[in-house]
Structures are given as C-alpha cells and as structure tokens.
Amino acid sequence: MSAPVPVAYTQLSTVDPAAWRATGSAWASLAGVAERRADELADGGATLRTGWSGRAAESAGARLSGLREELVALVPVAIETDQVLAEFAARLVAARARLAAAVALAAATGVLIDRRGGVRADPARVPPDPGGLTVHQVATALRDALDLAATADGEATTRLARLTEAAGAGWTAQPPAYPPPNAEPGVVRRWWAGLTPAERRWFVVHEPELTGRLDGVPADARDQANRLLLAARRAALVERWEQLLARVPRGPLEVAGLRGVEARLSGLDALVDRLASTQQPRAYLLGLDVGGEGRAVVALGNPDRATDVLTYVPGMTAGLDDATGELGRAARVLARCAELAPGEQTSAVLWLDYDAPDFLHEAAWDGQARAAGEALHRFQEGLRATHDGPPGRQTVLGHSYGSLVVGTAARDHGLAADALVFVGSPGVGVTHAADLGLPPGQVWASTAPDDVIRLTRPPDELGRRAVLGASPVGTIAGWLAGSGDERWFGRDPAEPGFGGRTFPSGRYGHTGYWHPDNPALDGMARVVLGR
C-alpha cells in the first residue's frame, strides 16, 4: 500500500469552486459601489465650490478630492481580487477534473482509494495487479491533481497577501515613464514588467484608455482598465442615440442609424451582463470600441495563464450588437476542450477588433481584411509576450470572411500562432498552406457539405465589374462565376490541393460549425489542444 496522501485529498474532493467564483464576483461588485461613491464625492465637491470660498473651502475640497482618489484607486483592486479568486476557482475545476480521472482509473483497474487518499490494490481483483503498476498509476494521477490544487492555493494566497500589503503602502504611485510610442508588444511587456505594482495600478486608474488597448500589457491589467471605461462607453452610445432621436423628421438614413445604435446598446448591455456574471470561465475585457459597428476583444479565462489559447476571428456582419453571440461560439469550443481534456487549462478569445463587412458587395473585396492584419498580428504578438511561464499553444480560428482576415494577416505580417484553423472559408488570400508562415501540418480547414460558401468561385471580369457597380445581383453573379476548387479569395483551404489538413463537418450549413452534434466542433477543439 502506498503512503497516504495528505488530508488535501479530502479537501479537494469536497471543495466547491463555484463558491470561490461567487466570492470573487462579490468583490468585483464593490468596484461599482466605489465608482458611484467617487462620483457622489465629485458632485458634492462641485456643489460646495458654487457657494463656498476661502481657505476652509479649499481645505474641504482637497479632502474630498483625496477621498475620491482613494475610492477610484480601490476599483482596480476590487477587480484584481475577483481575477485572483476566479483563476483560483478555474484551477480548482481543473484539479478536480484530474482527481475524477484518477478515481475513474482506480475503479476501472481494481485499485482502492481510502478516505485519506491512500491507494492499494483490491485483493479481490482477478487477475492481480502485476508489480503494482496500476496502483502506481493511480497514485501518480492523484498526486498530479493535488499538486495542481496546492500550487493554485499557494499562488492565490501570495497574490492576495500582496494586495493586503499594498493597502498599507498605498495602492498607486506615479510611474517614472510611459512606454515608447508605437512600441512592439515585446517592448511594452518589458516596460510593464519594470514597473512596481503600485505604478501599474496608477496606469490602470489614470490612463485606462492607453492601458486597455496596449498589446504587451497583461490581460488582467487590460481587463481592469477596460472595465473602468464601461460606463463612459455606454454613456457615449446613449448620447448618440439621443442625438438621433431628436432629429425630426427622420429620413431612412437616420432611422437606420437609430436602429444601429439601439442594437449596439443592446449588445453592450448583454456583454456587460456576461462580464458581471459568476459563470465560469471568467470573462476578461481586453478591448472595446463603441464607434462604427462596434468592436470588442473578450477572453474567456485568462490567456496569460492558460496552456492552450484560441483566438477566434468572426466574419461578415460581426459587430458589437451580437458580440455575446460570437463569444458563445468561442465558449462552445472551450467547453468541448474541457470535455476532451478536463484537466487542461484553456482560454478562448473573441477578437472582433476590425470593421467586418456588412454586405456582400463589401465582403467581395479583401480591403477590410488587409486593414485588420496589423492589429491581429500585434494582438497575437502581445499574447505571446505576456504569457506566464512556458509558451502556451496559440491557435487562431477564422470563420467565413474572418478566415480571410487570418490568412491575410499571416501572409502579410506573420502570426504568433502554432496552428491556424479555417471554417466556412471563401479563400484565405494564398494558394497553398505553406504561404501562411506555419508548417502545412498545422494549417487546418473544414467546409460543411451544405455550406453555401462552396458556391463561391473566383471572379471573372464580368463578375468583377458587376461588383464594382455595387449591384446585389451582379455581386452574386460574380461570386458564383467559375468552377473547380478555387474560391473567391484563392484556393479552398479545405481541398487537398491547398496542402493543409482537414477535419470533417456535418451538414449544418455556413453557421453550424459550433453545433454540439457537429464533428467539426471536436475538430476545432482537438487542434486547440494539439491532439
């Protein structure tokens, strides 16, 4: 019989990760309280200044300003506490999954586990365990689960202790320097690493616009900064809505604009609800822009601490109005990863940081894909630079027009990725997988048998002229012109001649790759996991 595993076995088998997640969410809710109280102090100070002057008024104003600064500085701390506890909960989920796998292995191989975690061969097992091999396997699996839980506990304790120390020393401190203008993500990462925790919080509080969008700044700090901007972002949309509403009479363009703003407001509210949810994995807001159709970059789980990271680039019509819907697709890949490898720590990022085409005549050209390439390149470089520990496996997935964005970025700028995946692709801007800068064996694609994208063909001159005329009929005619395995933007990446690898899809149409019964969902998850 092996030596008993410490009592941590019982703790891990009974711990409730959801309770830790809820505790973190409660801390996050304090951020909103602190922001409201800070606003009230600002309003109170403004009221005092209108009817009070002199030294006493100046002293009172300074005191109110100081109290407000302290409250504002508390906001990222509350969010950081939520991050720590959410990540602790996520790692407990992974540890418990490993524990469950060990228990299942014991049950299948005739190994007994006692209440303290000690393991021994079942004397009634026939045939007997030769040389105690399965006992050793079960003991090793148990130890892996407990070690992961112990490491998570130690890291969370250390991070919370540092926050406690900062409460006495001061939450923020003026930093010595800003990052160099237009610095590469690796340079930004080194600059950020050279700051003290108090200096980093100063940037979050006083420069949230810069911190929230800067590739090379870790995900937790970007999340804190972008959450600080949520109220202002929503206020900007509401102001735009009120401006359009006040226009009377309203023509078709004004009506369309009003409906568009309303859709983005609804989409933003849905995104805020997901950010505030106790649902696992925790959502990290890495970027948000409410202008135009709206843009959002949201991670499920902290990509800096995950072993496998997926970046999902959606296609035509994607915008802020349905950001949570697109995020749901990334979540389904993540959930399937958890089913296939329950002990792994994975993260999925919705990267909607480009102006996706809304109409066929826009999607018939690669201009918007080319315009997105540099930003996607920098984002992936930033993920690589900010990752904790050994490099994680990075996979970039593009759907429909998003596959052209991914292919164009890889072709023109290079992508920090270990694998590329294209589903429902109209072509990716190259004729062969080797042109994407990755080994062809790490370029994957799938096209459903009933995906309408199969009808697209390279444009002939007549079709191209029709598209130039912006005629819907002409656009469709151009898309359908031609034959063979060529698509509108090059060779079909799901065809053998492209030189990559493929996985199957069922008959679920152009948007059904994420259907739970579609084998394509397994295919995407296995690529993310490198299996």
Side-chain angles (χ1 to χ4, degrees):
M1 179 174 176
S2 69
V5 180
V7 69
Y9 169 79
T10 303
Q11 292 176 319
L12 182 56
S13 63
T14 59
V15 71
D16 181 11
W20 286 105
R21 180 69 188 94
T23 301
S25 184
W27 272 94
S29 67
L30 294 177
V33 175
E35 286 182 302
R36 289 192 294 273
R37 296 295 178 266
D39 290 342
E40 290 170 2
L41 285 176
D43 292 342
T47 301
L48 282 175
R49 285 192 296 273
T50 61
W52 190 17
S53 60
R55 289 185 177 179
E58 292 175 359
S59 178
R63 178 59 178 154
L64 286 176
S65 295
L67 288 173
R68 183 182 181 280
E69 284 289 320
E70 291 180 18
L71 284 170
V72 171
L74 273 175
V75 174
V77 175
I79 298 172
E80 186 174 349
T81 303
D82 173 39
Q83 292 170 338
V84 171
L85 295 178
E87 290 169 22
F88 177 52
R91 298 181 80 183
L92 286 179
V93 169
R96 281 174 57 82
R98 293 185 186 184
L99 183 66
V103 171
L105 176 63
T109 56
V111 174
L112 302 177
I113 304 176
D114 64 31
R115 289 180 296 177
R116 295 190 301 166
V119 299
R120 62 184 175 87
D122 184 351
R125 182 184 184 224
V126 180
D129 180 17
L133 179 61
T134 54
V135 170
H136 175 72
Q137 290 174 330
V138 171
T140 299
L142 284 176
R143 174 54 56 196
D144 286 344
L146 296 172
D147 285 348
L148 177 58
T151 300
D153 181 72
E155 289 183 2
T157 300
T158 299
R159 294 171 71 186
L160 292 174
R162 288 173 181 165
L163 283 175
T164 303
E165 294 171 3
W171 295 118
T172 64
Q174 181 85 30
Y178 278 64
N182 303 315
E184 292 297 317
V187 174
V188 173
R189 180 68 181 105
R190 290 190 291 274
W191 162 77
W192 186 264
L195 301 175
T196 67
E199 290 168 345
R200 294 172 193 160
R201 289 191 202 97
W202 186 94
F203 268 102
V204 169
V205 172
H206 295 281
E207 293 284 2
E209 291 268 8
L210 172 67
T211 307
R213 62 177 168 78
L214 204 53
D215 295 315
V217 170
D220 52 5
R222 291 181 68 168
D223 177 60
Q224 294 164 24
N226 284 309
R227 286 174 183 251
L228 285 177
L229 295 169
L230 277 172
R233 295 284 191 260
R234 191 179 192 283
L237 270 182
V238 170
E239 181 180 3
R240 178 59 178 158
W241 178 78
E242 291 174 342
Q243 290 172 349
L244 291 172
L245 192 65
R247 293 182 182 176
V248 179
R250 289 189 289 271
L253 290 179
E254 286 80 5
V255 171
L258 186 62
R259 289 175 178 170
V261 173
E262 289 172 347
R264 291 196 294 280
L265 266 173
S266 178
L268 179 58
D269 288 342
L271 180 58
V272 169
D273 287 344
R274 178 59 181 90
L275 292 170
S277 169
T278 60
Q279 180 181 346
Q280 282 281 44
R282 184 187 187 277
Y284 289 72
L285 185 60
L286 307 183
L288 181 67
D289 185 349
V290 298
E293 297 298 320
R295 302 182 180 192
V297 182
V298 186
L300 298 176
N302 188 341
D304 293 339
R305 302 174 67 83
T307 53
D308 305 291
V309 181
L310 168 68
T311 300
Y312 163 52
V313 182
M316 182 176 161
T317 74
L320 184 58
D321 57 339
D322 190 35
T324 52
E326 297 291 358
L327 189 63
R329 291 178 170 180
R332 284 191 281 279
V333 179
L334 202 58
R336 188 56 55 91
C337 287
E339 293 171 7
L340 295 172
E344 294 296 315
Q345 299 172 66
T346 55
S347 172
V349 183
L350 166 65
W351 191 85
L352 180 47
D353 196 17
Y354 82 106
D355 180 21
D358 293 318
F359 305 101
L360 275 177
H361 69 272
E362 294 177 336
W365 301 102
D366 66 352
Q368 283 153 288
R370 286 186 285 105
E374 174 66 17
L376 182 57
H377 161 79
R378 290 182 64 89
F379 180 75
Q380 288 298 121
E381 290 290 332
L383 285 182
R384 190 73 88 195
T386 58
H387 194 270
D388 291 342
R393 176 177 170 83
Q394 295 187 176
T395 299
V396 184
L397 162 67
H399 172 240
S400 191
Y401 193 86
S403 69
L404 179 64
V405 173
V406 174
T408 301
R411 180 196 69 197
D412 294 347
H413 306 280
L415 284 178
D418 300 287
L420 301 179
V421 182
F422 307 116
V423 292
S425 177
V428 299
V430 299
T431 59
H432 196 277
D435 299 328
L436 294 169
L438 271 72
Q442 292 301 325
V443 177
W444 294 79
S446 183
T447 303
D450 58 344
D451 191 333
V452 296
I453 208 73
R454 288 183 176 274
L455 299 176
T456 62
R457 294 292 183 263
D460 61 6
E461 187 61 28
L462 177 62
R464 188 179 293 276
R465 289 175 182 172
V467 171
L468 281 170
S471 161
V473 174
T475 298
I476 295 172
W479 275 64
L480 301 183
S483 61
D485 65 357
E486 292 290 318
R487 296 287 176 257
W488 190 265
F489 295 109
R491 181 172 287 167
D492 184 351
E495 292 296 329
F498 187 74
R501 301 171 73 181
T502 63
F503 52 85
S505 173
R507 301 182 67 85
Y508 292 91
H510 186 60
T511 61
Y513 295 94
W514 295 267
H515 190 283
D517 296 330
N518 193 341
L521 184 59
D522 268 4
M524 290 184 281
R526 291 184 185 280
V527 175
V528 171
L529 295 168
R531 299 190 172 191

